[in-house]
């Protein structure tokens, strides 16, 4: 028997528990067909904890996360009133210095996309920018948010993105709004260009965020790695996901030097709670990214293959893909396929 990986599982709010259950079943199937083990440790976090604990990320959960190798996180509902607890994802990213949010977007077999042959990855700075959470109401009706951008954080995420581009099609586009945000995006641009000099074999281009939003619709197949700051990356990755077919297929990884958290791009979609209707694939592919990060390449490849085969066959599809299968049916079908793969 190979290594045992300790995984913290946070099931989340809304559709979180349904899609997490599907992903955990797929992980168990991948484990049973491989020579590693998973020690899955469930912990409390999310909107549903606030009434009981006064926080969405209880201290016991933080302690448990620190004892694990990675976290599989279901989507969570974030309250919006000023003073309410900050998003759990944002807290964990900062606590563990998960500086790169990696969100692959690609076309899938038999899934209707706006354009064919899309295969891009959004790499988003994950610890600062407009997600720093520093906001003030300086006088009634006048609000200010600080967009903190540091050279250090930009260099760190740029290094990650260039390394990734080097392994892919060797093309990186960095996205900014330097014509308006001259100081903050000036820091970002300088850091990217400084890093680019270390990777002469990676072709580097820049684009303003508004033009990037347009080109993601017009010619998404032209992008390989898209590197950007926190809020721009969040918006563009949702857009890229929908361009390739459905938010229900878009997985994500939050990567730091010594920890990783894996969660879908989508949120808790509260209106579908308990309906057994949404697509679990984004969560399943997030679990696949986790296995890859943990070095379990063979099992990760099996999960990817199972998803691609199922989509290609087109018999089991959730409503977002034009079908009528349930979350559970799709999850079970992927898990069974993983088990049957050689
Ligand atoms: P959302 O991503 O939850 O849902 C938007 C729409 O996308 C849904 O109405 C649905 O049509 C579609 N969708 C989402 N997931 C899907 C799936 N698996 N299968 C099929 N279709 C799917 O975005 P929202 O409505 O803006 O946010 C709801 C809550 O989620 C908010 O409280 C928000 O703060 C939170 N959120 C959390 C995270 C996270 O935990 N990392 C990320 C984004 C949003």
């Amino acid at each position: 028997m190979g290594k045992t990986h300790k995984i913290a599982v946070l099931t989340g709010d809304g559709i979180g528990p349904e899609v997490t259950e599907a992903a955990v079943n797929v992980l168990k199937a991948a484990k049973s067909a491989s020579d590693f083990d998973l020690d899955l440790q469930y912990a409390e976090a999310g909107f549903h904890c606030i009434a009981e604990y006064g926080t969405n990320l209880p201290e016991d959960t933080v302690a448990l996360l620190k004892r694990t190798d990675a976290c599989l996180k279901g989507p969570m509902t974030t309250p919006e009133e000023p003073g309410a607890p900050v998003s759990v994802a944002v807290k964990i990213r900062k606590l563990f210095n998960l500086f790169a949010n990696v969100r692959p977007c690609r076309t899938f077999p038999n899934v209707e996309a706006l354009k064919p042959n899309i295969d891009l990855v959004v790499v988003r700075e994950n610890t600062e920018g407009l997600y720093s959470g520093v906001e003030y109401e300086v006088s009634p009706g006048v609000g200010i948010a600080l967009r903190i951008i540091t050279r250090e954080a930009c260099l760190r995420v740029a290094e990650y993105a260039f390394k990734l581009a080097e392994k892919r099609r060797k093309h990186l586009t960095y996205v900014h709004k330097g014509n308006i945000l001259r100081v903050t995006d000036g820091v970002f641009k300088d850091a990217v260009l400084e890093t680019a000099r270390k990777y002469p074999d990676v072709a580097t281009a820049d684009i303003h965020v508004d033009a990037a939003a347009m080109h993601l619709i017009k010619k998404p197949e032209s992008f390989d790695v898209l590197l950007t700051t926190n809020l721009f990356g969040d918006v563009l990755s949702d857009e890229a996901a929908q361009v390739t077919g459905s938010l229900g297929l878009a997985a994500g990884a939050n990567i730091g030097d010594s920890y990783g958290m894996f969660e879908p791009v989508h949120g808790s979609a509260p209106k579908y709670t308990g309906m057994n209707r949404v697509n679990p694939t984004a969560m399943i592919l997030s679990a696949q990214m986790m296995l890859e990060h943990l070095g379990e390449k063979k099992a990760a490849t099996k999960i990817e293959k199972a998803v691609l085969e199922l989509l290609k066959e087109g018999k089991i599809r959730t409503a977002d893909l034009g079908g009528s299968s349930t979350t559970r049916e799709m999850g079970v079908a992927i898990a069974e396929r993983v088990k049957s793969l050689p």
Side-chain angles (χ1 to χ4, degrees), residues 15 73 75-78 89 246-248 263 265-272 278-279 320:
I15 60 168
K73 178 189 160 293
M76 295 177 190
T77 302
T78 308
S246 170
L247 201 46
E263 59 177 350
V265 171
H266 66 73
S268 59
K271 68 179 177 192
Y272 295 123
V278 297
N279 194 338
D320 58 314

Side-chain angles (χ1 to χ4, degrees), residues 176-238:
H176 60 86
K177 190 69 182 168
N179 51 338
I180 304 296
L181 300 165
R182 293 170 184 173
V183 175
T184 49
D185 269 346
V187 172
F188 171 69
K189 281 162 52 186
D190 286 349
V192 175
L193 290 174
E194 187 177 328
T195 311
R197 286 196 281 279
K198 297 199 298 188
Y199 296 89
D201 51 336
V202 175
T204 307
D206 80 321
I207 188 168
H208 290 143
V209 63
D210 37 354
M214 185 268 285
H215 280 300
L216 268 175
I217 289 170
K218 196 175 167 202
K219 46 173 190 175
E221 69 284 357
S222 68
F223 292 119
D224 180 12
V225 173
L226 279 164
L227 167 62
T228 190
T229 49
N230 209 333
L231 182 62
F232 294 165
D234 195 22
V235 176
L236 293 179
S237 52
D238 262 43

Side-chain angles (χ1 to χ4, degrees), residues 128 149-156 187-188 190-191 194:
E128 53 180 34
I149 304 278
T150 65
R151 181 180 129 81
E152 190 196 357
C154 294
L155 285 174
R156 204 168 49 183
V187 172
F188 171 69
D190 286 349
E194 187 177 328

Side-chain angles (χ1 to χ4, degrees), residues 18-318:
E18 300 161 48
V19 293
T20 307
E21 183 189 314
V24 165
N25 285 337
V26 171
L27 279 176
K28 286 179 178 166
K31 171 187 98 158
S32 73
S34 307
D35 71 341
F36 64 91
D37 205 354
L38 292 173
D39 176 5
L40 300 170
Q41 305 194 11
Y42 285 78
E44 292 265 45
F47 186 79
H48 65 276
C49 294
I50 299 176
E52 190 176 346
Y53 301 97
T55 172
N56 50 9
L57 187 62
E59 272 175 30
D60 283 355
T61 300
V62 174
L64 184 136
L65 291 174
K66 287 181 178 165
R67 294 195 299 270
T68 56
D69 302 310
C71 171
L72 182 67
K73 178 189 160 293
M76 295 177 190
T77 302
T78 308
E80 297 195 1
E81 319 77 64
V86 169
S87 141
V88 173
V90 170
K91 279 184 190 164
I92 296 177
R93 288 167 187 161
K94 285 188 180 163
L95 261 171
F96 291 88
N97 217 347
L98 307 178
F99 55 83
N101 189 195
V102 185
R103 294 180 158 182
C105 284
R106 49 165 294 183
T107 38
F108 290 91
N110 212 6
V111 173
E112 198 180 333
L114 214 54
K115 286 283 189 86
N117 306 321
I118 305 167
D119 180 11
L120 62 89
V121 184
V122 176
V123 178
R124 158 194 181 197
E125 200 294 318
N126 213 19
T127 59
E128 53 180 34
L130 271 170
Y131 277 62
S132 303
V134 189
E135 280 195 304
Y136 308 97
E137 187 167 18
V138 285
S139 62
V142 183
I144 293 180
L146 295 188
R147 183 175 194 255
I148 300 169
I149 304 278
T150 65
R151 181 180 129 81
E152 190 196 357
C154 294
L155 285 174
R156 204 168 49 183
V157 72
E159 189 76 34
Y160 184 93
F162 273 96
K163 279 206 174 89
L164 181 66
E166 214 173 30
K167 284 190 240 150
R168 290 174 47 93
R169 301 197 304 277
K170 301 193 192 318
H171 194 279
L172 182 144
T173 309
Y174 59 105
V175 183
H176 60 86
K177 190 69 182 168
N179 51 338
I180 304 296
L181 300 165
R182 293 170 184 173
V183 175
T184 49
D185 269 346
V187 172
F188 171 69
K189 281 162 52 186
D190 286 349
V192 175
L193 290 174
E194 187 177 328
T195 311
R197 286 196 281 279
K198 297 199 298 188
Y199 296 89
D201 51 336
V202 175
T204 307
D206 80 321
I207 188 168
H208 290 143
V209 63
D210 37 354
M214 185 268 285
H215 280 300
L216 268 175
I217 289 170
K218 196 175 167 202
K219 46 173 190 175
E221 69 284 357
S222 68
F223 292 119
D224 180 12
V225 173
L226 279 164
L227 167 62
T228 190
T229 49
N230 209 333
L231 182 62
F232 294 165
D234 195 22
V235 176
L236 293 179
S237 52
D238 262 43
E239 184 191 349
Q242 193 54 47
V243 165
T244 56
S246 170
L247 201 46
L249 296 169
N254 298 268
I255 305 290
D257 283 331
S258 50
Y259 198 69
M261 174 179 76
F262 300 81
E263 59 177 350
V265 171
H266 66 73
S268 59
K271 68 179 177 192
Y272 295 123
T273 305
M275 290 171 69
N276 193 22
R277 174 193 158 99
V278 297
N279 194 338
T281 307
M283 189 76 195
I284 290 168
L285 290 176
S286 303
Q288 179 241 326
M289 290 179 85
M290 180 179 79
L291 287 185
E292 195 152 342
H293 178 74
L294 293 168
E296 302 300 348
K297 182 110 183 88
K298 204 171 148 207
T301 306
K302 256 188 203 179
I303 296 177
E304 187 184 10
K305 200 163 176 227
V307 167
L308 295 177
E309 283 186 11
L310 249 288
L311 290 173
K312 193 169 179 191
E313 284 169 15
K315 288 185 199 135
I316 296 179
R317 318 158 66 83
T318 40

